[in-house]
Amino acid sequence: MTEKVQYKKSDFYYDLPQERIAQTPAEPRDSSRLLVYDRKTKKIEDKIFRSVEEYLQDGDVLVVNNTKVIPARMYALTKNGGVVEVLLLKRFDLNTWEVLMRPGKKGKIGVKMTVGDNLSFVVKDITETGERIVEFSYEGAFEDVLSKVGTMPLPPYIKEKLENQARYNTVYSKTDGSAAAPTAGLHFTDGLLARLKAKGVQIAEVLLHVGLGTFRPVSEEIITDHKMHSEYYEIGEEAAEIINKAKREGRRVIAVGTTSVRTLESVADEKGEVRACSGNTEIFLYPPYKMKCVDALITNFHLPESTLIMLVACLTGREEILSVYEYAVKNEYRFFSFGDSMFIV
């Protein structure tokens, strides 16, 4: 019987120089670098992302997250003239959202705040973890109002202004609702996807609206004590059929990004098959979890001690992924949202 390992947050730490954090996206999208890691041979290859097609074959299924990032960050004024940063996290109905506020102490229940000339909200409730439930008032369509007052919620480690807002969305993004991009997909171009389809690679689209769960730091030292924030997901009939047929026929299901992994593993049965459904997931994946549905992963390089590096370690093991990251740092790969990519096969 294998002894259960109780991992600590610090077990997933690695040292990253500041200059390795990418501040701008690569142009064109598919010109970023690609580290290919073969789990069987332990071999690393250094490539350019567009050469990912060399490693994909007829019958492979790429599972992509078609969520679209909205201008989810805004600045609200209190009646006393104070400024509060508001980040939209999850929509409950037409006017009600869960939001993150900074400073949170100004977001007491019953407080009303204004954003620009045509948007205001009242704080209705406070969650156990400190997020606020707010109800918005506005005239017209919420999306139109938000496009005028909101900004793209770039991570705090990106200091440079993003000139082209579309670069923080994938070329296949469709459904509004994310507070952060599923960044592994940022490397794909329409041309690359067309070549992959022509080669016989199938694309299955799922949805997970990226919220606080994906980028909230692990605050507990023993990682099993960390609680994930829930995020909304959907798997449609067509995607489920493509994925399940591949699993039954022994073909590879390759997740593009950790959000696609979380969606699939939230609903996969013991055979690795999924069902068409929607809901909210709080799944937290860390070693020694074995993937049920996902056979390979295209992903970016993630923050030290984050839930994302823990998820990736489920495919490789903790020491192995830290060794790959050490190689990436030494060989000057670019890290995080606008950084380079890794294909774990």
Side-chain angles (χ1 to χ4, degrees), residues 6-10 12 218 220-227 284-287 305 310:
Q6 263 214 326
Y7 283 116
K8 294 184 290 188
K9 178 174 71 169
S10 54
F12 295 87
V218 177
E220 308 290 344
E221 183 54 24
I222 303 299
I223 66 171
T224 49
D225 294 337
H226 176 71
K227 188 177 186 326
F284 177 21
L285 303 177
Y286 50 84
E305 301 183 337
M310 294 170 191

Side-chain angles (χ1 to χ4, degrees), residues 15 21 24 34 39 41 55 75-76 105 108 130 134 138 143 156 158 184 236 249 259 272 281 297 312 317 321:
D15 192 34
I21 300 173
T24 54
L34 175 70
R39 288 177 286 165
T41 64
Y55 298 87
Y75 294 91
K105 63 185 179 182
K108 294 183 169 62
V134 305
Y138 51 90
E143 287 72 16
I158 295 177
E249 294 175 0
T259 60
T281 181
L297 173 64
V312 176
I321 198 62

Side-chain angles (χ1 to χ4, degrees), residues 104-119:
K105 63 185 179 182
K106 294 191 177 181
K108 294 183 169 62
I109 293 175
V111 165
K112 182 177 179 178
M113 300 188 198
T114 57
V115 186
D117 299 327
N118 189 24
L119 186 66

Side-chain angles (χ1 to χ4, degrees), residues 13-14 44 52 78 90 108 118 123 136 138 169-170 181 204 206 214 233 271 278 282 285 302 314 331 336-337 341 343:
Y13 177 80
Y14 68 92
I44 292 174
V52 72
T78 66
K90 190 194 297 181
K108 294 183 169 62
N118 189 24
V123 179
F136 285 99
Y138 51 90
N169 267 311
T170 62
V206 298
T214 295
Y233 70 87
K271 293 185 290 185
S278 63
E282 297 177 358
L285 303 177
H302 304 293
C314 294
N331 287 272
F336 306 162
S337 294
S341 184
F343 189 8

Side-chain angles (χ1 to χ4, degrees), residues 148-194:
K148 293 181 176 68
V149 300
T151 60
M152 279 296 192
L154 293 179
Y157 50 74
I158 295 177
K159 310 298 183 189
E160 291 193 26
K161 185 182 177 185
L162 180 63
E163 296 300 333
N164 178 6
Q165 298 292 301
R167 282 300 274 110
Y168 197 54
N169 267 311
T170 62
V171 295
Y172 48 76
S173 64
K174 287 180 184 171
T175 310
D176 286 342
S178 272
T183 54
L186 294 178
H187 308 278
F188 286 93
T189 63
D190 289 321
L192 177 55
L193 288 168

Side-chain angles (χ1 to χ4, degrees), residues 81-256:
V83 179
V84 177
E85 182 186 13
V86 179
L87 180 65
L88 302 179
L89 295 176
K90 190 194 297 181
R91 193 173 199 166
F92 293 117
D93 59 38
L94 199 59
N95 302 323
T96 309
W97 284 78
E98 180 180 18
V99 305
L100 184 66
M101 279 189 189
R102 294 194 186 98
K105 63 185 179 182
K106 294 191 177 181
K108 294 183 169 62
I109 293 175
V111 165
K112 182 177 179 178
M113 300 188 198
T114 57
V115 186
D117 299 327
N118 189 24
L119 186 66
S120 63
F121 63 82
V122 176
V123 179
K124 292 291 189 179
D125 202 1
I126 301 174
T127 69
E128 285 182 14
T129 47
E131 288 77 51
R132 268 58 180 173
I133 309 299
V134 305
E135 186 176 325
F136 285 99
S137 300
Y138 51 90
E139 288 180 14
F142 184 77
E143 287 72 16
D144 293 341
V145 175
L146 187 62
S147 70
K148 293 181 176 68
V149 300
T151 60
M152 279 296 192
L154 293 179
Y157 50 74
I158 295 177
K159 310 298 183 189
E160 291 193 26
K161 185 182 177 185
L162 180 63
E163 296 300 333
N164 178 6
Q165 298 292 301
R167 282 300 274 110
Y168 197 54
N169 267 311
T170 62
V171 295
Y172 48 76
S173 64
K174 287 180 184 171
T175 310
D176 286 342
S178 272
T183 54
L186 294 178
H187 308 278
F188 286 93
T189 63
D190 289 321
L192 177 55
L193 288 168
R195 293 196 301 275
L196 292 175
K197 288 176 186 175
K199 191 175 183 177
V201 176
Q202 292 180 285
I203 312 293
E205 295 187 10
V206 298
L207 172 73
L208 183 134
H209 284 324
V210 188
L212 199 57
T214 295
F215 53 89
R216 169 185 270 161
V218 177
S219 54
E220 308 290 344
E221 183 54 24
I222 303 299
I223 66 171
T224 49
D225 294 337
H226 176 71
K227 188 177 186 326
M228 292 289 282
H229 190 268
S230 77
E231 294 167 313
Y232 177 77
Y233 70 87
E234 287 178 10
I235 300 177
E237 294 280 359
E238 184 184 356
E241 192 175 322
I242 291 170
I243 292 161
N244 292 341
K245 193 167 188 291
K247 295 306 289 187
R248 288 193 289 268
E249 294 175 0
R251 293 184 279 117
R252 290 192 301 177
V253 172
I254 300 158
V256 177

